[in-house]
Amino acid sequence: MNRFKAVFFDMDGVLYDSMPNHEFTWCHSFADYGITFNPEDAYINEGRTGKGTINLVFNKLYGRDATDAEVAAIYGRKTELMKTCPVAPMMTGMKELVEALRTKGVKTYVVTGSKQPTLMDKLWNEYGFDREHIVCGADVVKGKPDPEPYLIALWRSGEKKEDCAVVENAPMGVMSAKAAGLFTIAVNTGKLEDHYLTDNGCDMLYGSTEVMCREWIADL
Ligand code: MG
């Protein structure tokens, strides 16, 4: 764990305990449209764009993509509900890990599909990530599970693939990182069984950020 020159962190479920909010808002915004969306679905599809998730559900149910109006309505409802959710706390140990890595000269980046406007300020104020060190939804065309977002982080870091690691909690995120050819550490902080992460080829798996951070910091 001490051989990496750059580490790319996913945000939801890795830096922040924000997945319960996404689970709640997805389930309720679909329910308002008479569509059943299970809590597990929120975790299976985590990392996709909002439109990507809605289209997947529509194709399964109706054999077609959602119209722009349907996407706007469902995603609009989700955004509305997000405003009523509690502020997501930082995941245990993550601030200490990010700071310990930086102290050792390791470059740190955030790679997230999120486009929340308040995101940049939050990541700067709480974790010290500036805009240059954040690859977000506004920077990508395809997004996870495509390798694109992690390839952008790799390019920005200026390091070689073999010197970089990714920390991910979601199946789509692991898929994206592995497709980019990067060493991928999965941390199962959600509601899915471990095989959702191992099936996508993660190189290591932890059951919590607390254990991962403790072991990683001890190894630096
Ligand atoms: Mg995540």
Side-chain angles (χ1 to χ4, degrees):
M1 302 291 267
N2 61 10
R3 67 189 167 90
F4 304 114
K5 293 180 180 168
V7 179
F8 311 139
F9 293 98
D10 169 54
M11 184 178 74
D12 290 315
V14 172
L15 293 175
Y16 290 103
D17 189 11
S18 41
M19 280 308 294
N21 288 348
H22 287 292
E23 173 193 329
F24 173 84
T25 53
W26 270 128
C27 291
H28 282 78
S29 55
F30 273 117
D32 287 353
Y33 273 77
I35 295 170
T36 303
F37 188 84
N38 298 313
E40 220 184 36
D41 295 328
Y43 291 87
I44 289 171
N45 291 296
E46 183 195 346
R48 284 190 202 281
T49 61
K51 189 178 177 173
T53 300
I54 293 165
N55 276 336
L56 204 81
V57 169
F58 268 67
N59 273 288
K60 215 157 101 183
L61 284 176
Y62 312 122
R64 63 166 177 89
D65 279 351
T67 63
D68 286 349
E70 286 163 340
V71 171
I74 295 170
Y75 201 69
R77 180 73 184 125
K78 181 179 187 299
T79 306
E80 220 172 78
L81 286 168
M82 276 300 269
K83 290 177 192 157
T84 69
C85 288
V87 174
M90 286 192 261
M91 294 291 284
T92 307
M94 291 308 293
K95 190 174 167 68
E96 292 79 5
L97 174 62
V98 170
E99 285 174 354
L101 287 166
R102 287 181 188 146
T103 302
K104 295 286 176 179
V106 180
K107 297 170 187 172
T108 55
Y109 291 81
V110 181
V111 178
T112 177
S114 178
K115 283 183 185 175
Q116 292 171 57
T118 54
L119 174 73
M120 303 297 159
D121 287 347
K122 201 170 151 71
L123 285 169
W124 169 251
N125 292 332
E126 296 178 0
Y127 275 103
F129 288 106
D130 63 18
R131 184 66 183 85
E132 173 61 23
H133 291 80
I134 301 167
V135 179
C136 73
D139 298 321
V140 300
V141 177
K142 293 174 185 164
K144 301 170 187 178
D146 191 89
E148 181 192 28
Y150 282 111
L151 289 175
I152 293 172
L154 177 68
W155 180 79
R156 284 197 200 168
S157 76
E159 300 295 345
K160 293 182 196 151
K161 275 185 188 183
E162 55 269 32
D163 294 328
C164 299
V166 169
V167 183
E168 263 289 352
N169 72 308
M172 294 293 134
V174 171
M175 207 184 282
S176 167
K178 290 311 297 175
L182 297 165
F183 188 89
T184 305
I185 301 155
V187 53
N188 192 355
T189 61
K191 289 190 171 174
L192 301 177
E193 289 172 24
D194 286 346
H195 75 84
Y196 281 95
L197 298 165
T198 53
D199 287 352
N200 284 305
C202 64
D203 298 282
M204 292 178 78
L205 176 69
Y206 284 98
S208 73
T209 56
E210 190 178 359
V211 174
M212 177 187 72
C213 293
R214 196 194 309 136
E215 288 188 11
W216 200 334
I217 291 169
D219 202 31
L220 286 174

